[in-house]
Amino acid sequence: MASRKPTFKPYDQQQMMLLPPSLEELVPKNHPVRVVNEVINKINLAPLHASYKLTGASSYHPQMLLKVLVYGYVSNVYSSRKIEAACKESIYFMWISGMSYPDHNTINRFRSDRLRESLRSVFEEVVKLLAQEGLLSIEEVCVDGTKIEANANRYTFVWKKAIATNKEKMKQQLKGIWEYAQSVASKEDNLPDPPDFTTITREKVQCTVDKLNEVLGKKKDIDKKVKGKLSYATKHFPQNMGKYEEQEQILGERNSYSKTDEGATFMRLKEDHMRNGQLKPAYNVQISSSNQFVVNYTIHPNPNDTTTLAAHIAQHEASYQQAPKVITADAGYGSEENYTLLEGKKVKAYIKYNLFDRQQNTNNQDPFSTDKLFYNAQEDCFICPMGQQMNFIGESKRKTSTGFEQTSRKYQAQNCGHCPLNGTCNKMEGNRIVQVNERLERQRKQAYELLNSEEGIKRRKKRCYDVEPVFANIKSNHGFKRFMLRGKHKVEIEFGLLAIAQNIRKKAS
């Protein structure tokens, strides 16, 4: 009996085709690349065209390059070299590029230079198009932020505290040398009083060093240690002060920056579900979302979400000529400054404050907290738990890091020394003092009522599955955890492409 042989489908690499298939036939009708093509074809690209010169050699069409770049970010291809290779190897890239083969330098220059001034308008056009289709709302948004690592060296950094420490050491050394000079100076040396180093500058250091060299240079018997210190100060202190001043100018209000990306600040990043992390150079990315579409984005060098909202709202106004009508956000944004800002713009704010969740839990409340004390409006005093009056003793004012002024009224108890609750109610030395910020208390009360209303509960629940999944999708599902470009302007371009890609992926899903 003859043995049977397996049956295979025909395989012939040399087979000729009378009608070769076109790329159009090979791209499925519902593929995301078609959504990219459809969306980019509908938007106005005049601002992008304006970035090109009227003279010179012909360039690749910006519409084609934009489609290729956006589809790269949609399909997790972020590197310009990988996009270049994909245009020669991937059917989808070949189809959307029209069989054009831009090299990685062209792609990178287009991303970094051509899109510098025009990407924001492209993003806004996409958002408006999606809004017209009823997929998102520009007026009702959720706001949140995340930290994304910068493309910078993790071990070369500048710290504001280190600069302050070095400047203090410099001041002390110059002071010590000056005191020695005074001890050995004669009347003819005409050595004045020590310089005022309350604010130390390069000019003051240079003048001090020059004067010390002038006085001590005439002396023959100078202490060798002092002579060595003066020699070192002459050579290094003015130069170091110039370097510190440049670094402080770059720092601004920040506490640190990376030497390889001066726009990046060292922030503590959450590395895993246990939030075990380390300080790394990063950017604070803020977005507004609606139905998991990105409506607005801003990049910030400061790690604190609280101070980013004003600039974020300003960008929304610049993009859409109006502020949003409703904002939902977590307790990271619940500050007096932000509440006041939104009140002035008539924005309905469903924003938690730092004590909101604690107040929701009736079993975890402090019975002696300020909000539990009875307030007598007629006599303008609080009543402590033992029935004593806490009388008004004055106001205190402070400014935040952004320059916002806060005013609090202070009330003090009469006699806490022999009170049986002393140590429980009052944990400070002397009589207990409470501070009440009337404007903030009013704003918190209003926020509490809004958040606990039927609409507020609905919006609080929605925020968790609206804005937070956007970051999870970008960082976890699509593996973008570190920027590829350096500098704040380029990082804004890169996240703008990520935002457009997120919106197109959501539309295609």
Side-chain angles (χ1 to χ4, degrees):
M1 182 176 178
S3 61
R4 297 180 60 185
K5 294 182 179 181
T7 303
F8 300 106
K9 292 182 179 180
Y11 172 66
D12 184 1
Q13 288 180 290
Q14 308 302 321
Q15 175 67 49
M16 300 293 290
M17 301 183 72
L18 180 62
L19 298 173
S22 68
L23 290 176
E24 184 69 28
E25 297 172 348
L26 299 176
V27 178
K29 296 298 181 184
N30 59 347
H31 197 276
V33 73
R34 292 191 180 273
V35 181
V36 173
N37 188 61
E38 176 191 354
V39 170
I40 302 300
N41 281 342
K42 287 182 179 179
I43 64 176
N44 177 24
L45 296 180
L48 179 57
H49 293 172
S51 65
Y52 285 83
K53 295 179 180 179
L54 298 178
T55 58
S58 60
S59 304
Y60 281 108
H61 201 289
Q63 188 179 46
M64 180 274 292
L65 289 173
L66 181 62
K67 289 179 182 179
V68 167
L69 201 52
V70 169
Y71 180 65
Y73 276 74
V74 168
S75 55
N76 308 342
V77 182
Y78 308 118
S79 164
S80 59
R81 291 182 183 274
K82 290 183 178 179
I83 292 175
E84 175 190 0
C87 287
K88 300 175 182 177
E89 300 169 357
S90 168
I91 293 172
Y92 308 119
F93 277 91
M94 290 179 186
W95 178 80
I96 203 168
S97 69
M99 298 296 289
S100 297
Y101 306 117
D103 63 16
H104 66 275
N105 285 325
T106 301
I107 295 168
N108 199 40
R109 280 197 301 268
F110 177 78
R111 177 171 55 184
S112 301
D113 300 331
R114 301 294 185 188
L115 294 179
R116 178 183 289 266
E117 303 298 335
S118 58
L119 183 65
R120 175 69 67 168
S121 66
V122 173
F123 168 77
E124 292 163 3
E125 288 287 324
V126 172
V127 171
K128 291 173 183 176
L129 178 64
L130 297 173
Q132 289 172 4
E133 296 180 9
L135 297 174
L136 60 84
S137 170
I138 294 175
E139 297 179 344
E140 299 182 7
V141 298
C142 299
V143 177
D144 202 1
T146 191
K147 298 174 180 65
I148 299 180
E149 186 178 353
N151 182 12
N153 191 309
R154 299 170 183 173
Y155 308 104
T156 56
F157 40 76
V158 174
W159 292 95
K160 181 178 284 187
K161 286 186 178 179
I163 295 175
T165 300
N166 291 335
K167 287 169 69 174
E168 184 61 32
K169 288 180 180 178
M170 192 181 300
K171 286 160 61 174
Q172 295 302 323
Q173 287 194 31
L174 289 176
K175 182 180 178 182
I177 299 173
W178 193 279
E179 289 174 353
Y180 175 81
Q182 284 183 318
S183 67
V184 300
S186 60
K187 294 182 180 180
E188 291 78 12
D189 292 326
N190 193 24
L191 189 65
D193 293 332
D196 180 17
F197 281 138
T198 306
T199 55
I200 185 171
T201 63
R202 179 174 183 173
E203 289 72 21
K204 283 186 179 180
V205 170
Q206 186 66 61
C207 290
T208 303
V209 168
D210 291 343
K211 186 63 178 177
L212 288 171
N213 279 307
E214 179 186 342
V215 173
L216 296 180
K218 302 175 183 177
K219 309 297 179 182
K220 295 182 180 180
D221 300 326
I222 303 177
D223 187 285
K224 290 185 179 180
K225 289 185 178 180
V226 175
K227 188 176 181 180
K229 288 180 179 179
L230 179 57
S231 175
Y232 183 87
T234 304
K235 185 176 180 181
H236 297 286
F237 281 10
Q239 180 181 350
N240 289 347
M241 270 305 305
K243 181 181 71 174
Y244 296 151
E245 287 174 354
E246 291 176 2
Q247 290 174 345
E248 286 176 328
Q249 189 173 2
I250 296 170
L251 279 167
E253 298 297 326
R254 296 182 292 163
N255 292 321
S256 63
Y257 72 85
S258 171
K259 290 183 178 179
T260 50
D261 184 354
E262 295 176 352
T265 306
F266 277 77
M267 308 178 188
R268 189 166 295 280
L269 305 185
K270 301 172 187 175
E271 297 296 314
D272 54 29
H273 65 285
M274 295 297 291
R275 297 186 177 183
N276 297 320
Q278 60 178 317
L279 290 174
K280 293 180 180 179
Y283 288 93
N284 187 354
V285 179
Q286 297 288 313
I287 68 166
S288 298
S289 73
S290 174
N291 296 329
Q292 296 184 7
F293 290 93
V294 181
V295 177
N296 181 30
Y297 67 91
T298 49
I299 309 295
H300 305 266
N302 49 308
N304 190 352
D305 287 343
T306 309
T307 57
T308 63
L309 188 62
H312 192 70
I313 297 297
Q315 179 59 61
H316 190 107
E317 291 176 316
S319 296
Y320 309 112
Q321 290 71 56
Q322 63 176 4
K325 293 182 179 179
V326 180
I327 285 181
T328 308
D330 62 17
Y333 302 87
S335 68
E336 180 186 359
E337 182 176 0
N338 289 339
Y339 285 135
T340 304
L341 170 72
L342 297 176
E343 279 181 355
K345 296 183 180 296
K346 298 181 180 180
V347 178
K348 203 167 188 179
Y350 293 91
I351 299 179
K352 293 181 181 180
Y353 48 91
N354 57 350
L355 298 175
F356 177 79
D357 289 328
R358 186 183 299 177
Q359 290 176 352
Q360 297 293 98
N361 185 359
T362 56
N363 297 324
N364 191 28
Q365 294 187 9
D366 181 7
F368 303 112
S369 62
T370 303
D371 61 316
K372 296 294 185 293
L373 300 178
F374 175 76
Y375 176 67
N376 187 329
Q378 292 182 347
E379 298 187 18
D380 188 22
C381 69
F382 282 90
I383 306 299
C384 81
M386 290 301 292
Q388 290 189 61
Q389 282 192 1
M390 303 181 72
N391 297 322
F392 174 70
I393 58 172
E395 292 184 343
S396 65
K397 295 184 178 183
R398 63 177 292 270
K399 284 189 176 182
T400 65
S401 60
T402 58
F404 181 78
E405 188 174 89
Q406 297 175 317
T407 302
S408 299
R409 294 173 64 83
K410 299 167 67 176
Y411 297 83
Q412 187 172 31
Q414 302 297 310
N415 182 16
C416 294
H418 301 288
C419 178
L421 295 178
N422 193 18
T424 304
C425 170
N426 178 29
K427 297 181 181 180
M428 60 185 294
E429 293 184 5
N431 295 328
R432 182 182 179 185
I433 298 176
V434 297
Q435 297 192 42
V436 179
N437 187 329
E438 293 180 337
R439 179 167 59 180
L440 180 58
E441 290 301 319
R442 174 186 60 78
Q443 291 168 340
R444 284 179 172 176
K445 183 179 179 181
Q446 181 179 347
Y448 185 88
E449 293 173 354
L450 276 175
L451 290 165
N452 282 301
S453 65
E454 184 177 346
E455 180 68 16
I457 294 171
K458 178 182 175 182
R459 290 185 180 276
R460 274 195 285 150
K461 290 180 179 179
K462 182 182 178 182
R463 188 196 69 83
C464 299
Y465 60 81
D466 193 318
V467 64
E468 292 181 3
V470 174
F471 290 132
N473 191 40
I474 291 173
K475 296 173 75 173
S476 297
N477 296 345
H478 294 277
F480 193 93
K481 297 182 179 180
R482 191 173 192 238
F483 287 110
M484 300 190 68
L485 305 181
R486 292 184 177 181
K488 186 170 181 287
H489 292 297
K490 292 183 179 181
V491 165
E492 285 178 345
I493 293 171
E494 194 162 17
F495 193 82
L497 290 167
L498 286 169
I500 295 172
Q502 166 67 18
N503 290 349
I504 290 178
R505 278 195 298 258
K506 182 66 178 173
K507 175 178 168 60
S509 63

